[in-house]
Amino acid sequence: MERPAWAPRSIDISVPSVSRIYDYYLGGSHNFEVDREAARKAMEYMPGLPKIMQANRAFMRRAVRYAAGEGITQFLDIGSGIPTFGNVHEVAQAAVPGARVLYVDHDPVAVAHSEAVLAGNDDADVVAADLRKPQEILSSPRLDRLIDLNRPVALLLVAILHFVEDADDPYGAVAELCEALAPGSLLILTHASYEGIPLPAERAEGAVDVYKGIRNPLIMRSREEIARFFEGYDMVEPGLVPMPHWRPESAPEDEDPYAFSGFAGVGRTA
């Protein structure tokens, strides 16, 4: 397999990547046949996976515009993935010129692409770090340059926590990050769940098994379990809801049934 110029030498292009699979679902071009094969296999069980990812992105854009409208000018996007059209910095900086955005991902491909996309943008940067190690993020010189933790920040954890197993203490990681944020900060979050998927859970498990097979287990949590991530936050209306129901810009009933898989919410620190 020939290595394209955009693929860092350090990565194994024979192993599927969650970031590149997500890129494929969104119609991106930064993925390999091994990623497309895994995606197609998962779609045999859940053909609506691209619709779920599109709903994730649409929610993210609405939430970023909401945060900007609330006066927030700093955005910390953890598990940001490979940049695609309508990324956080594009939405935030269109809404608030000069808004500062820091992306965080542990995937070398996602980091390399972010660096390329952000070249020349002094108000946005990327850090190679892992959500499971919050201090790696909070102690980063790049965060220190861009983000003032004494002022409100929008912390984005969009479609990332369902890749963190309970053994890695995702609740503790989120709490540690939140403790570092100033009052008035926002937590913007989406999470996969069997609740809302328009097919039997036993069939959806087939797609979950595909992720397990590529050593990136997909942890499907209940609405109650997802709500625990917002402990210490005041929920922004309409609360923790299926993605199309969070401050929709078009009629939710026009959405694909798969778009209602999983939950989205925004919380504000007191």
Side-chain angles (χ1 to χ4, degrees):
M1 184 188 304
E2 185 176 348
R3 181 183 297 270
W6 54 261
R9 303 297 305 179
S10 59
I11 68 164
D12 184 349
I13 60 176
S14 68
V15 176
S17 152
V18 166
S19 293
R20 297 195 306 264
I21 292 171
Y22 190 82
D23 178 69
Y24 173 74
Y25 288 143
L26 290 173
S29 59
H30 295 104
N31 49 75
F32 301 116
E33 181 54 31
V34 68
D35 307 304
R36 296 188 285 273
E37 183 181 346
R40 288 191 292 263
K41 190 172 181 182
M43 287 168 63
E44 289 177 9
Y45 299 97
M46 288 180 62
L49 277 167
K51 294 295 183 182
I52 298 173
M53 307 313 164
Q54 290 162 18
N56 255 286
R57 297 286 296 186
F59 161 77
M60 178 273 288
R61 290 191 285 268
R62 295 196 305 275
V64 167
R65 285 193 289 267
Y66 169 80
E70 292 292 296
I72 290 181
T73 61
Q74 305 185 105
F75 298 82
L76 177 58
D77 183 3
I78 301 178
S80 48
I82 294 171
T84 56
F85 177 74
N87 232 39
V88 172
H89 73 281
E90 294 174 331
V91 178
Q93 292 174 353
V96 183
R100 297 191 157 202
V101 178
L102 185 67
Y103 294 115
V104 179
D105 208 292
H106 72 283
D107 185 326
V109 172
V111 172
H113 276 290
S114 297
E115 288 175 337
V117 167
L118 300 174
N121 189 333
D122 291 337
D123 293 322
D125 207 342
V126 61
V127 170
D130 194 319
L131 168 62
R132 293 169 294 186
K133 300 175 182 177
Q135 285 307 314
E136 278 188 5
I137 301 167
L138 296 172
S139 63
S140 166
R142 297 190 184 194
L143 182 142
D144 192 51
R145 180 182 77 82
L146 276 180
I147 306 294
D148 179 0
L149 293 176
N150 294 310
R151 295 192 297 114
V153 174
L155 170 62
L156 290 95
L157 298 173
V158 176
I160 179 64
L161 285 165
H162 47 236
F163 290 113
V164 183
E165 298 180 81
D166 288 340
D168 290 319
D169 191 17
Y171 296 104
V174 173
E176 190 171 347
L177 288 165
C178 293
E179 285 169 8
L181 303 181
S185 293
L186 298 178
L187 172 60
I188 296 170
L189 183 154
T190 67
H191 198 296
S193 177
Y194 285 122
E195 298 174 40
I197 295 178
L199 47 74
E202 309 81 62
R203 184 163 179 81
E205 283 173 7
V208 172
D209 287 342
V210 171
Y211 282 91
K212 190 183 298 181
I214 63 172
R215 298 183 181 179
N216 278 281
L218 182 58
I219 312 301
M220 306 290 267
R221 295 186 172 97
S222 67
R223 184 184 183 280
E224 183 179 356
E225 289 171 322
I226 298 166
R228 283 182 53 202
F229 288 112
F230 287 100
E231 287 182 1
Y233 283 85
D234 295 324
M235 295 302 294
V236 171
E237 289 294 331
L240 186 62
V241 295
M243 291 174 286
H245 286 304
W246 198 90
R247 299 181 176 243
E249 296 171 348
S250 58
E253 55 267 27
D254 293 338
E255 293 282 352
D256 185 281
Y258 275 96
F260 297 87
S261 306
F263 293 95
V266 176
R268 180 183 283 106
T269 56

